[in-house]
Amino acid sequence: MKQHGSPERLVFFTDAVVAIALTLLVLPLTDLVPELVAENAPAVEAVTDNWPKIFSFLLSFAVIGRFWVTHHRIFEHVRTYSGPLVLANFCWLLTIAVLPFPTELVGAYDSERFTAVFYLGTLLASSLSHTALVLIVRHDPEIRGDTEPMTDQWVLNFVLTTAVFALAVLVAFIEPGLGYL
């Protein structure tokens, strides 16, 4: 398997996609303002009448932020990259880029079964992608270079996190509102 050099450009590109996704999360909230103006509603209703949208924005902002920090922790171990690493990274980026869509659904439809499963399923896919990244880095010493290997505990944490998201999807399928917990 041919290695491709420094992962710096891949990390910078990833950072840009994450920044765009974080920005897209707020757009449904900014779209409320013209609607309120057209209805001659007081500005305070932008907040008081839109708690589900505000909550979904804050939740997804925190989730993407946490995933981004985790991604950077993974890439601290990467000295070069390979095709499988780039593919797993793009799978992760897909989940981050699409997250504003299920976030808006959560804000609009709250605890509807499809909405909860779609949102949590997106987080599960993101966690699976992170786990794949960790396994690729751990098992390819060329990618790691001379950095220390990832410990069994580190890998176990990623696997357990993915299992928790899978459980959340299952719970959301049975009882949508509980899946978010």
Side-chain angles (χ1 to χ4, degrees):
M1 178 181 331
K2 185 178 176 188
Q3 305 302 318
H4 299 285
S6 171
E8 197 170 82
R9 289 193 63 197
L10 182 61
V11 170
F12 290 153
F13 178 76
T14 299
D15 289 348
V17 171
V18 169
I20 291 167
L22 288 171
T23 302
L24 291 175
L25 286 174
V26 79
L27 293 181
L29 297 176
T30 61
D31 289 344
L32 295 172
V33 176
E35 293 171 17
L36 291 170
V37 169
E39 296 169 2
N40 292 319
V44 70
E45 285 184 16
V47 175
T48 59
D49 290 355
N50 291 289
W51 283 112
K53 289 180 181 184
I54 292 168
F55 172 76
S56 66
F57 161 75
L58 292 173
L59 175 64
S60 290
F61 193 94
V63 165
I64 290 175
R66 179 68 178 129
F67 275 136
W68 177 81
V69 167
T70 301
H71 184 273
H72 272 269
R73 287 187 61 221
I74 294 168
F75 270 75
E76 288 173 0
H77 294 270
V78 174
R79 295 297 169 252
T80 189
Y81 61 91
S82 65
L85 184 81
V86 171
L87 179 62
N89 193 69
F90 270 84
C91 288
W92 180 73
L93 284 175
L94 175 62
T95 68
I96 297 303
V98 81
L99 194 57
F101 178 54
T103 298
E104 187 163 358
L105 288 174
V106 168
Y109 294 99
D110 197 24
S111 294
E112 187 176 293
R113 177 173 282 112
F114 172 79
T115 302
V117 170
F118 183 38
Y119 183 83
L120 293 166
T122 303
L123 299 184
L124 172 60
S126 189
S127 186
L128 280 167
S129 298
H130 265 169
T131 301
L133 285 167
V134 166
L135 293 174
I136 290 166
V137 172
R138 179 178 173 142
H139 293 295
D140 190 338
E142 290 183 42
I143 290 174
R144 254 191 349 270
D146 59 358
T147 68
E148 64 186 61
M150 295 174 173
T151 65
D152 290 340
Q153 184 62 46
W154 222 63
V155 173
L156 181 62
N157 288 343
F158 279 89
V159 171
L160 288 176
T161 299
T162 300
V164 168
F165 279 119
L167 179 61
V169 169
L170 179 63
V171 169
F173 187 75
I174 297 166
E175 185 60 47
L178 292 178
Y180 297 121
L181 298 177

PDB file of all heavy atoms in Angstrom, residues 28-42:
ATOM      1  N   PRO A  28     -30.729  27.790  10.179  1.00  0.00           N
ATOM      2  CA  PRO A  28     -32.166  27.737  10.460  1.00  0.00           C
ATOM      3  C   PRO A  28     -32.588  28.750  11.537  1.00  0.00           C
ATOM      4  O   PRO A  28     -33.710  29.259  11.492  1.00  0.00           O
ATOM      5  CB  PRO A  28     -32.393  26.300  10.944  1.00  0.00           C
ATOM      6  CG  PRO A  28     -31.280  25.530  10.326  1.00  0.00           C
ATOM      7  CD  PRO A  28     -30.104  26.469  10.297  1.00  0.00           C
ATOM      8  N   LEU A  29     -31.710  29.059  12.464  1.00  0.00           N
ATOM      9  CA  LEU A  29     -32.045  30.057  13.483  1.00  0.00           C
ATOM     10  C   LEU A  29     -32.077  31.453  12.883  1.00  0.00           C
ATOM     11  O   LEU A  29     -32.947  32.261  13.215  1.00  0.00           O
ATOM     12  CB  LEU A  29     -31.058  29.994  14.649  1.00  0.00           C
ATOM     13  CG  LEU A  29     -31.044  28.692  15.445  1.00  0.00           C
ATOM     14  CD1 LEU A  29     -29.958  28.721  16.506  1.00  0.00           C
ATOM     15  CD2 LEU A  29     -32.401  28.422  16.064  1.00  0.00           C
ATOM     16  N   THR A  30     -31.148  31.751  11.992  1.00  0.00           N
ATOM     17  CA  THR A  30     -31.149  33.080  11.371  1.00  0.00           C
ATOM     18  C   THR A  30     -32.328  33.243  10.421  1.00  0.00           C
ATOM     19  O   THR A  30     -32.818  34.354  10.232  1.00  0.00           O
ATOM     20  CB  THR A  30     -29.831  33.364  10.628  1.00  0.00           C
ATOM     21  OG1 THR A  30     -29.656  32.394   9.597  1.00  0.00           O
ATOM     22  CG2 THR A  30     -28.645  33.338  11.576  1.00  0.00           C
ATOM     23  N   ASP A  31     -32.793  32.132   9.858  1.00  0.00           N
ATOM     24  CA  ASP A  31     -33.959  32.186   8.965  1.00  0.00           C
ATOM     25  C   ASP A  31     -35.246  32.542   9.712  1.00  0.00           C
ATOM     26  O   ASP A  31     -36.230  32.949   9.092  1.00  0.00           O
ATOM     27  CB  ASP A  31     -34.150  30.848   8.242  1.00  0.00           C
ATOM     28  CG  ASP A  31     -33.084  30.602   7.190  1.00  0.00           C
ATOM     29  OD1 ASP A  31     -32.387  31.564   6.801  1.00  0.00           O
ATOM     30  OD2 ASP A  31     -32.945  29.438   6.755  1.00  0.00           O
ATOM     31  N   LEU A  32     -35.250  32.394  11.019  1.00  0.00           N
ATOM     32  CA  LEU A  32     -36.439  32.724  11.819  1.00  0.00           C
ATOM     33  C   LEU A  32     -36.722  34.221  11.832  1.00  0.00           C
ATOM     34  O   LEU A  32     -37.875  34.643  11.916  1.00  0.00           O
ATOM     35  CB  LEU A  32     -36.259  32.257  13.268  1.00  0.00           C
ATOM     36  CG  LEU A  32     -36.153  30.766  13.509  1.00  0.00           C
ATOM     37  CD1 LEU A  32     -35.783  30.506  14.965  1.00  0.00           C
ATOM     38  CD2 LEU A  32     -37.461  30.093  13.161  1.00  0.00           C
ATOM     39  N   VAL A  33     -35.665  35.015  11.755  1.00  0.00           N
ATOM     40  CA  VAL A  33     -35.813  36.465  11.919  1.00  0.00           C
ATOM     41  C   VAL A  33     -36.731  37.073  10.860  1.00  0.00           C
ATOM     42  O   VAL A  33     -37.683  37.790  11.207  1.00  0.00           O
ATOM     43  CB  VAL A  33     -34.435  37.161  11.970  1.00  0.00           C
ATOM     44  CG1 VAL A  33     -34.585  38.666  12.032  1.00  0.00           C
ATOM     45  CG2 VAL A  33     -33.644  36.645  13.168  1.00  0.00           C
ATOM     46  N   PRO A  34     -36.520  36.826   9.562  1.00  0.00           N
ATOM     47  CA  PRO A  34     -37.436  37.407   8.569  1.00  0.00           C
ATOM     48  C   PRO A  34     -38.888  36.946   8.750  1.00  0.00           C
ATOM     49  O   PRO A  34     -39.819  37.717   8.522  1.00  0.00           O
ATOM     50  CB  PRO A  34     -36.885  36.933   7.229  1.00  0.00           C
ATOM     51  CG  PRO A  34     -35.485  36.531   7.484  1.00  0.00           C
ATOM     52  CD  PRO A  34     -35.411  36.126   8.916  1.00  0.00           C
ATOM     53  N   GLU A  35     -39.058  35.686   9.192  1.00  0.00           N
ATOM     54  CA  GLU A  35     -40.409  35.191   9.439  1.00  0.00           C
ATOM     55  C   GLU A  35     -41.075  35.978  10.569  1.00  0.00           C
ATOM     56  O   GLU A  35     -42.252  36.346  10.471  1.00  0.00           O
ATOM     57  CB  GLU A  35     -40.370  33.707   9.807  1.00  0.00           C
ATOM     58  CG  GLU A  35     -39.924  32.800   8.682  1.00  0.00           C
ATOM     59  CD  GLU A  35     -39.686  31.363   9.140  1.00  0.00           C
ATOM     60  OE1 GLU A  35     -40.166  30.972  10.236  1.00  0.00           O
ATOM     61  OE2 GLU A  35     -39.016  30.622   8.405  1.00  0.00           O
ATOM     62  N   LEU A  36     -40.329  36.230  11.640  1.00  0.00           N
ATOM     63  CA  LEU A  36     -40.874  36.992  12.769  1.00  0.00           C
ATOM     64  C   LEU A  36     -41.188  38.430  12.360  1.00  0.00           C
ATOM     65  O   LEU A  36     -42.211  38.980  12.766  1.00  0.00           O
ATOM     66  CB  LEU A  36     -39.902  36.967  13.949  1.00  0.00           C
ATOM     67  CG  LEU A  36     -39.739  35.617  14.645  1.00  0.00           C
ATOM     68  CD1 LEU A  36     -38.576  35.662  15.624  1.00  0.00           C
ATOM     69  CD2 LEU A  36     -41.018  35.203  15.336  1.00  0.00           C
ATOM     70  N   VAL A  37     -40.309  39.020  11.574  1.00  0.00           N
ATOM     71  CA  VAL A  37     -40.544  40.389  11.108  1.00  0.00           C
ATOM     72  C   VAL A  37     -41.808  40.439  10.258  1.00  0.00           C
ATOM     73  O   VAL A  37     -42.646  41.338  10.415  1.00  0.00           O
ATOM     74  CB  VAL A  37     -39.311  40.920  10.332  1.00  0.00           C
ATOM     75  CG1 VAL A  37     -39.632  42.219   9.626  1.00  0.00           C
ATOM     76  CG2 VAL A  37     -38.124  41.089  11.274  1.00  0.00           C
ATOM     77  N   ALA A  38     -41.968  39.468   9.361  1.00  0.00           N
ATOM     78  CA  ALA A  38     -43.150  39.433   8.492  1.00  0.00           C
ATOM     79  C   ALA A  38     -44.438  39.271   9.298  1.00  0.00           C
ATOM     80  O   ALA A  38     -45.493  39.767   8.897  1.00  0.00           O
ATOM     81  CB  ALA A  38     -43.024  38.304   7.473  1.00  0.00           C
ATOM     82  N   GLU A  39     -44.354  38.589  10.432  1.00  0.00           N
ATOM     83  CA  GLU A  39     -45.524  38.378  11.294  1.00  0.00           C
ATOM     84  C   GLU A  39     -45.704  39.500  12.316  1.00  0.00           C
ATOM     85  O   GLU A  39     -46.608  39.443  13.135  1.00  0.00           O
ATOM     86  CB  GLU A  39     -45.385  37.051  12.034  1.00  0.00           C
ATOM     87  CG  GLU A  39     -45.366  35.836  11.138  1.00  0.00           C
ATOM     88  CD  GLU A  39     -44.962  34.566  11.890  1.00  0.00           C
ATOM     89  OE1 GLU A  39     -44.733  34.613  13.116  1.00  0.00           O
ATOM     90  OE2 GLU A  39     -44.862  33.519  11.229  1.00  0.00           O
ATOM     91  N   ASN A  40     -44.818  40.505  12.271  1.00  0.00           N
ATOM     92  CA  ASN A  40     -44.818  41.580  13.270  1.00  0.00           C
ATOM     93  C   ASN A  40     -44.723  41.046  14.702  1.00  0.00           C
ATOM     94  O   ASN A  40     -45.286  41.618  15.632  1.00  0.00           O
ATOM     95  CB  ASN A  40     -46.048  42.482  13.130  1.00  0.00           C
ATOM     96  CG  ASN A  40     -46.009  43.275  11.846  1.00  0.00           C
ATOM     97  OD1 ASN A  40     -44.951  43.771  11.453  1.00  0.00           O
ATOM     98  ND2 ASN A  40     -47.146  43.385  11.188  1.00  0.00           N
ATOM     99  N   ALA A  41     -44.009  39.940  14.870  1.00  0.00           N
ATOM    100  CA  ALA A  41     -43.834  39.335  16.190  1.00  0.00           C
ATOM    101  C   ALA A  41     -42.671  40.007  16.914  1.00  0.00           C
ATOM    102  O   ALA A  41     -41.733  40.494  16.280  1.00  0.00           O
ATOM    103  CB  ALA A  41     -43.562  37.847  16.044  1.00  0.00           C
ATOM    104  N   PRO A  42     -42.713  40.045  18.230  1.00  0.00           N
ATOM    105  CA  PRO A  42     -41.598  40.628  18.979  1.00  0.00           C
ATOM    106  C   PRO A  42     -40.334  39.766  18.834  1.00  0.00           C
ATOM    107  O   PRO A  42     -40.423  38.547  18.695  1.00  0.00           O
ATOM    108  CB  PRO A  42     -42.095  40.651  20.427  1.00  0.00           C
ATOM    109  CG  PRO A  42     -43.254  39.739  20.487  1.00  0.00           C
ATOM    110  CD  PRO A  42     -43.796  39.600  19.099  1.00  0.00           C
TER     111      PRO A  42
END
